[in-house]
Amino acid sequence: MTLDWSNKFSRRSKAMKASAIRELLKLVDNPEIISLAGGMPDPTLFPKETIAAISKDVFINHGGKALQYGATEGIPSLRETLVKEGIKEGIKGLTVDNLIITTASQQALALSAEVFINPGDTVVVEAPSYVGGLQAFNAFEANYITVPLDDEGIRVDILEEKLKQAKDNGVNVKFMYLIPNFQNPAGVTLSLERRKKVIELSHQYDVPIIEDDPYGEIRFEGEKLPSLIQLDSIGNVIALRTFSKILAPGLRLGWIMGNKDVMRKFVIAKQAADLCSPPSTQYIADEFIRHGHMESYLALVRKTYKKKKDAMLEALERYFPEEVKWTKPKGGMFVWVTVPEYINTTEMFKEAIQEKVAYVIGSAFYPHGEDTHHLRLNFSLPTLEQIDQGIKRLGNLLKKKIH
Ligand code: PMP
Ligand code: G9A
């Protein structure tokens, strides 16, 4: 008799949902399909030669450590390097006890869920929010308070109302999950005034903030705004950072900064998850920063993505019907598109694939999939030609649906 696996699976695993993006990545493996879907860096920019030279040095001179198990907290030299960078950025009170290395931000999100969420616990998320964050929180059976965004980021007036309501109802909100810079998927950036208000609300209502910031360094114009952890010092903010968008996602490295007792909890959870992040890539990332390569690489990334963003905005003007609206990002990797409510972007996806163009359906970014008139476009991965062609194909499809 075959085993009935379904009565073996945990309740938690039954609540898990596949990531729309991860599933899409498999689908768009077909080279004929132009993918404006997954948020991937442009691989032609990766500093391959530099990383190859650094790797050789790391393996020859530090091979014993680079190929060995490492501390769960991360290798000391990388932690020290990142603390120095954090202090330069203006994070007051930051020490190595406040900083641990993770297997990129996705692990930090999974650990955040594990450390904070009991089944049925409430967390605040932006609507829309990053699909991988929602996936991590869903796995631990979170309940959601959703707060909409506008051009200046999360609507702090609505956030305040909802936090007050939760408090009045005796709900212990475990954290608010925010992506303040060039938000994924909406592309918007939290204004300075609202950053201050969010910190104030965090203290007033005793709700920690998880600040997820993979895109802050990929700014095309304007001044960099202080991060939430910078505004709050080591207080209520747990800051997630990653090398994925500022160097290479294949390194699978990120870091978390925050209160040292909280970091200790994360370390214990991480011990059970993967023992340690790869020491080999930690040495490589550390050398990359110490040798001063980061700034020139980031300059190239910013310049190239800006060109691609401009090409996408031009193509949208040229090919999209006027009933469709989109954001004009000042950084990051995404344009967020709003179509008339009678167009269902989930249903349209199959037709888009037939037309050989892929996007991410808007509903993936809402905890309950409640929205069907948005879609997300990525401009960092496709070439300029693919951007033009892809937007043309999508524009033709949309024009057929407008009435
Ligand atoms: N958070 C956000 C907002 C992201 O957009 C991503 C990746 N697209 C991640 C976390 C996870 O990335 P990684 O695990 O590669 O750091
Ligand atoms: O799942 C991945 O490959 C990371 C990308 C995330 C995104 O497209 O938002």
Side-chain angles (χ1 to χ4, degrees), residues 104-106 109 130 177 179 184 212 214-215 242 244-245 252:
S105 281
Q106 192 61 41
L109 290 167
Y130 169 53
Y177 171 57
I179 307 160
N184 182 2
D212 187 9
Y215 305 104
T242 175
S244 290
K245 309 295 155 64
R252 302 312 296 137

Side-chain angles (χ1 to χ4, degrees), residues 19 21-22 25 37-40 106 130-132 184-185 215 245 334 360 365 376 378:
S19 151
I21 291 171
R22 295 267 103 203
L25 289 180
M40 288 193 273
Q106 192 61 41
Y130 169 53
V131 58
N184 182 2
Y215 305 104
K245 309 295 155 64
F334 305 113
V360 183
F365 301 99
R376 192 195 73 181
N378 164 264

Side-chain angles (χ1 to χ4, degrees), residues 256-388:
I256 314 181
M257 295 175 283
N259 172 290
K260 72 176 176 14
D261 299 330
V262 179
M263 292 304 99
R264 179 72 193 143
K265 281 277 185 215
F266 274 80
V267 166
I268 295 168
K270 182 173 160 65
Q271 288 170 348
D274 66 355
L275 305 179
C276 61
S277 299
S280 50
T281 58
Q282 293 185 62
Y283 276 102
I284 293 166
D286 188 31
E287 293 290 309
F288 190 83
I289 301 174
R290 282 174 189 254
H291 291 172
H293 296 299
M294 192 59 95
E295 259 321 300
S296 57
Y297 178 61
L298 279 175
L300 176 67
V301 166
R302 291 181 192 119
K303 190 172 112 199
T304 312
Y305 292 3
K306 179 178 185 306
K307 217 187 267 173
K308 291 186 175 196
K309 181 267 295 175
D310 289 342
M312 184 169 276
L313 294 184
E314 256 171 54
L316 286 164
E317 287 292 343
R318 192 169 324 127
Y319 301 121
F320 267 33
E322 63 179 22
E323 291 83 353
V324 175
K325 307 285 171 229
W326 54 87
T327 54
K328 297 183 176 56
K330 297 190 170 80
M333 297 186 170
F334 305 113
V335 172
W336 183 237
V337 177
T338 309
V339 302
E341 294 210 9
Y342 58 83
I343 298 179
N344 182 317
T345 54
T346 309
E347 286 169 9
M348 193 178 78
F349 183 75
K350 283 189 220 89
E351 293 170 71
I353 292 296
Q354 277 161 9
E355 299 298 324
K356 302 211 166 9
V357 58
Y359 58 82
V360 183
I361 54 176
S363 67
F365 301 99
Y366 292 82
H368 310 294
E370 57 271 35
D371 178 287
T372 53
H373 61 281
H374 285 97
L375 55 94
R376 192 195 73 181
L377 300 173
N378 164 264
F379 52 78
S380 56
L381 183 67
T383 62
L384 295 174
E385 292 72 27
Q386 286 172 329
I387 288 173
D388 188 75

